[in-house]
Amino acid sequence: MTKPLNEFAAGESGRIKAVTGEGKIRRRLFDMGVTPGAELTMRKKAPLGDPIEITLRGYELTLRKSEAACVEVEL
Amino acid sequence: MKTFALAGNPNCGKTTLFNALTGATAHVGNWPGVTVDKREGVYKGGVENVNIVDLPGIYSLSPYTPEEVISRNFILDEKPEGIINIVDATNLERNLYLTTQLLEMDIPVIIALNMMDEVEKSGDKIDVKALEEALGVPVAEISALKKSGVKQLMDRAIAMPAERKGITVLKGALEKQLETACAFYAAEEVKSPLFHAVKLLENDELELEKKGAKETLEKASCGEDLEAVIADERYKYISANLASVKVKSVAKEKLTKSDKIDRVLTHRVWAIPVFLVVLFFVFHLTFSGNLLFLNGFTEEMGWMPSLVELGLATKENGANNFGVEILAVFYDGTVYSPGVILTNFLNLFLDHISDGIVTLMENGGAAEWATGLVGDGILGGIFAVLGFLPQILTLFLFFSIMEDTGYMARIAFVLDRIFRRFGLSGRAFMPMIMGFGCSIPATINTRTLADEKERTATVRVIPFFSCGAKLPILTAVAGGIVAAFGIGNADVITFCMYLLGICTAIVCVLLMRNTTLKGETPPFIMELPAYHLPGFKNLMLHLWDKTKHFVKKAFTIIFASTIIIWLFSHLSWRWGYLPDEQMNDSILASLGMFIQPVFTPLGFGSQLGKFGWVFAVAAITGLIAKENVIATFTTLALCIGAYAGEGTEEGVEELTGLINIITADTGISQGDFVAALIAFIAFNMTTIPCFAACATARAELPKGKFNRTVLFWLTTSYIVGAIIYTVGAFIWPVAIWAVVIAAVATFVVLRNIGKFDIVKIFRRRKK
């Protein structure tokens, strides 16, 4: 089962299936290690609900929900 | 001299290594055309001296951020003798991603494996020999913080052979495609053909500009999207190699120290309160004259005796012995905060210098105008600006600590949601809030914003966050209103003016981001670095850089402008010298009278009759430093006889006298005058900031944007002042302003949600 990263609840983890989005954002995601096959864990949401924090490749990354929507993750 | 470039991810200890390598030889400049720091220095510890250039911290060499373009162009065009790639051993996987790209260039690379001590502490092991073999370049273990292994690293770097052929980790998956692309670049005879070939396959914008590149890409990729494949292959290669080099001792402990801190600082409920408390203490320790409220929360609660009351000092500002003067730096009826103590110290020092020089000149028989020019004009001007330095640096120190510990990134994380609404990112918050202290460090701090348009918009609205030096204007004029008319409450007026500044900033940002500085909200994909203690030496070097910049500016542009204003205010049209008491006959006064009608729509122009020019002159002298606004009022109030007696520092009594004399002269109604005075405060708050802040903004803004920024400040302050006056003075224009504001707001909102596109409508009409 897959779902976009922005719909994840804190504590859920999964493996990235695909990364979509327009050039600049997609490229930035790749460069930060958000590539198909990578495993990630959703850590928490910011106090106001957005952006979110994830753990990936051994470090913490933050991104907005709108950007997280480009990341399709397999549970 | 050989040149080595230092490359690596942000937060991997690059700056620490750079400082360890170059020490006192380091200097900071700008990369051409952009406001990104360029650090250079000389390493003198090896067999030969080598030049070290610190490239900006980057994650990749794609062409989307200025930092990445700078690094890429420097390596390709300036051809350094080698790259020192600093890699954070605690986070090998992501750090080596950049390494795999650097290896594709035809240039010697050495890897500095930093933070090995931390890896060992956590029980992990990294097989350096295996890593060296896998990557095909030397790998040196170092700890930049403890300066261990640095000499071995440099010895090996200097001994590297001068030539190296680029290698890629993509050979297995993309052999055919790479061959086609490489053949194209080899025929073009460019340097580092392999690097260019890989970038081309990644759909790199910079590569596609080359003639024939597009066709080659189509031929090589057959229309397939290779960007994802390449990123994926790099990471696959790294994981495959990691398995052999990194030996994990035990399964990772559940919560690291960093996680524990994070649980509080980004807590769902506590994050914002904790942040507000931190912010309060930063400002309190920098600006407060009542440390930790030791002297009670209100004036009535104050219990500490002043030095005069203690019988130590003879009288305030009078001649005291040196020991008492030193004591007064720390305590005088209240305990000062560290920022204020430093300011007092510097001012004590500067006052003695200035007094010494003036006494020397007077004893030497110098003319009155000469002592005036040197004492009040030159030294007074420079010292007034230098007097800001301690508090600017204290504020900077706190913010540097927040940046270096990793807390600043969390603040951006917490606040991003709010700022996105205005087309900014969470990072823009810090510069803005710093503006309440001083616009100068705030403006410099906008460097943390990656997007140029976002940065320009932020720099422009920073002065609207009323700085410490504008507070005396607020309290004096508000105090004058209350004293002269007996209405309102000075504190409420002051507070409302702060709110007005914030509202103006929000409206202006919204307007700019929808018109002249239109652009997408910059993406917010950011690393949250692990918390760690900041290094003392790094902090000090950082502060020293800022001090140098500031002092340089104080002695050039600010120096020149203060002298000009002093001359204008102390020369009559016959070029004769005028003492302070006759400032009303000076060139500046006539200029004030000349431009007085300009301020009529704002209420403090011609309506105020023959004494109204005082306001115009005060606005002009405020350009040097906002402290001068009140100083001018007090001087001019004495000149025109609005106030008799000894001058006060707060200026409330002088202003009250001025208000009374103008009311008596023109018979202006109370309502109109109050509106005019509030418009005057608002004008000063939102207009061009002091010279020092202007000089900083000029340096930080992209080329060609400064003149427009000055125009923007003038227009905004004029409009804000005019709105306040017309709304306050008459009832009928309120409707007009309400309609204008509503129209603008609707326009902006419609445009924001994409229902209204002026360009499209215009095009349709043309057709």
Side-chain angles (χ1 to χ4, degrees), chain B residues 247-374:
Chain B
V247 186
K248 275 219 172 130
S249 52
V250 275
K252 236 186 175 180
E253 50 185 316
K254 281 233 168 87
L255 275 177
T256 62
K257 218 185 250 170
S258 207
D259 292 331
K260 279 183 201 156
I261 303 173
D262 217 34
R263 275 214 299 200
V264 182
L265 294 186
T266 60
H267 187 271
R268 218 160 46 86
V269 179
W270 297 115
I272 292 177
V274 166
F275 165 66
L276 291 177
V277 169
V278 170
L279 202 63
F280 170 77
F281 273 100
V282 166
F283 278 94
H284 182 77
L285 291 177
T286 311
F287 294 104
S288 173
N290 183 5
L291 184 67
L292 302 176
F293 299 108
L294 289 173
N295 197 25
F297 287 92
T298 60
E299 243 167 72
E300 290 81 51
M301 280 167 73
W303 53 272
M304 293 183 178
S306 74
L307 290 179
V308 177
E309 284 163 345
L310 282 173
L312 285 167
T314 42
K315 69 172 199 221
E316 272 173 72
N317 304 323
N320 292 307
N321 76 43
F322 197 60
V324 176
E325 281 186 348
I326 296 281
L327 184 60
V329 164
F330 297 94
Y331 173 90
D332 191 1
T334 166
V335 183
Y336 297 125
S337 64
V340 179
I341 290 173
L342 288 173
T343 309
N344 291 346
F345 241 124
L346 186 72
N347 285 337
L348 179 65
F349 177 66
L350 295 178
D351 283 349
H352 275 283
I353 294 184
S354 149
D355 287 352
I357 292 176
V358 170
T359 320
L360 210 67
M361 286 179 75
E362 277 168 0
N363 292 346
E368 197 191 338
W369 66 265
T371 42
L373 176 63
V374 173

Side-chain angles (χ1 to χ4, degrees), chain A residues 19 21-39 43-68, chain B residues 59-60 62 64-65 68 91 93-94 97 101 199 202 225 227-228 231-232 235 239 252 259 262 266-268 271-272 413-414 416-418 420 424-426 520-528:
Chain A
V19 180
E22 54 104 22
K24 195 172 176 173
I25 290 175
R26 184 156 174 255
R27 178 76 224 180
R28 180 95 180 133
L29 287 170
F30 284 157
D31 287 344
M32 298 304 284
V34 185
T35 57
E39 285 182 16
R43 291 291 298 273
K44 63 162 94 69
K45 285 177 187 167
L48 299 170
D50 195 12
I52 60 169
E53 180 185 339
I54 61 170
T55 304
L56 157 109
R57 299 191 188 274
Y59 79 103
E60 318 294 321
L61 180 77
T62 168
L63 68 170
R64 290 186 184 139
K65 279 187 169 171
S66 58
E67 290 141 2
Chain B
Y59 293 104
S60 160
S62 35
Y64 289 119
T65 69
E68 287 166 347
N91 191 353
E93 204 175 352
R94 205 203 54 228
Y97 179 77
Q101 297 185 41
K199 284 288 155 215
E202 283 180 348
D225 172 27
E227 202 178 352
D232 193 34
Y235 276 111
S239 322
K252 236 186 175 180
D259 292 331
D262 217 34
T266 60
H267 187 271
R268 218 160 46 86
I272 292 177
F413 170 71
V414 169
D416 182 68
R417 179 72 196 269
I418 303 171
R420 191 175 352 145
L424 302 173
S425 67
E520 283 164 49
T521 310
F524 188 76
I525 305 170
M526 190 179 75
E527 181 187 0
L528 291 176

Side-chain angles (χ1 to χ4, degrees), chain B residues 108 143 152 162 310 449 461 581 604 609 619 627 640 665 679 703 722:
Chain B
S143 167
Q152 291 87 322
L310 282 173
L449 304 173
V461 299
E581 304 82 59
F604 49 94
E627 282 92 340
I640 59 180
D665 177 48
K703 259 211 168 79

